[in-house]
C-alpha cells in the first residue's frame, strides 16, 4: 500500500549516516517475516499479483514518509489473516528487516516503537534497492 493513502504525520528527515536498526534485530525480523508475512508477500518480499512487494517500488513509495506511519499501519492491519496480533517488538523487528532488505544501514541500536515516531523511511538509490 502506498503511503499516500494514509494520513501523513510529520517526522524529522533522515540525517546522512542514520542507522535504523541492528543486524541482530533484522535477523529476528527475518524469522518473524517468514512465519507471518511470507505466505502473502513471498519469501523474497516480491509480492504477488494482488499483494504488494516490500522491496523495490515499495521503498520508492515510502521514501521520506514517517516510519511511524508504516509501523502503525503494520500494527493495525497486518498480518492479513490476524490483524493487530503481533507485538510492538515483533513489528519493530519486521520493520528492521524490511529496511535492511531495502538497503537501509544497520547501526548499534535496535529500532523501537518509540523511535519510529521521529524517523523517516530512507530515500534509497537504485544501487541499494533490491
Amino acid at each position: 500500500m502506498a503511503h499516500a493513502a494514509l494520513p501523513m504525520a510529520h517526522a524529522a528527515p533522515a540525517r546522512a549516516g542514520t542507522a535504523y536498526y541492528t543486524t541482530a534485530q533484522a535477523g529476528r525480523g527475518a524469522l518473524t517475516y517468514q512465519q507471518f508475512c511470507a505466505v502473502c508477500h513471498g519469501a523474497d518480499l516480491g509480492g504477488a499479483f494482488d499483494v504488494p512487494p516490500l522491496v523495490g517500488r515499495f521503498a520508492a513509495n515510502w521514501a521520506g514518509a514517517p516510519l511511524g506511519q508504516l509501523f502503525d499501519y503494520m500494527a493495525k492491519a497486518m498480518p492479513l489473516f490476524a490483524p493487530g496480533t503481533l507485538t510492538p517488538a515483533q513489528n519493530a523487528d519486521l520493520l528492521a528487516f524490511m529496511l535492511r532488505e531495502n538497503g537501509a544501514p544497520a547501526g548499534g541500536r535496535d529500532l523501537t516503537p518509540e523511535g519510529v515516531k521521529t524517523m523517516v523511511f530512507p530515500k534509497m538509490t537504485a544501487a541499494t534497492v533490491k
Side-chain angles (χ1 to χ4, degrees):
M1 167 175 241
H3 72 274
L6 300 173
M8 291 295 293
H10 296 287
R15 291 169 279 145
T18 298
Y20 289 86
Y21 56 89
T22 62
T23 56
Q25 182 179 32
R28 291 190 309 268
L31 295 174
T32 302
Y33 179 86
Q34 291 305 317
Q35 184 177 359
F36 296 102
C37 311
V39 66
C40 293
H41 290 281
D44 65 353
L45 289 86
F49 176 73
D50 58 346
V51 179
L54 300 177
V55 292
R57 74 170 190 237
F58 175 84
N61 288 342
W62 280 95
L67 276 182
Q69 186 179 0
L70 178 55
F71 182 87
D72 289 345
Y73 175 75
M74 291 167 53
K76 292 174 187 165
M78 296 292 137
L80 185 60
F81 55 84
T85 58
L86 300 180
T87 67
Q90 286 174 308
N91 281 311
D93 291 351
L94 282 168
L95 188 50
F97 171 65
M98 291 164 50
L99 287 165
R100 182 188 78 187
E101 294 302 296
N102 281 286
R109 289 191 291 185
D110 278 356
L111 183 66
T112 65
E114 299 78 29
V116 298
K117 295 175 185 174
T118 62
M119 300 175 82
V120 298
F121 199 99
K123 293 184 180 179
M124 310 310 292
T125 64
T128 58
V129 177
K130 293 183 177 189

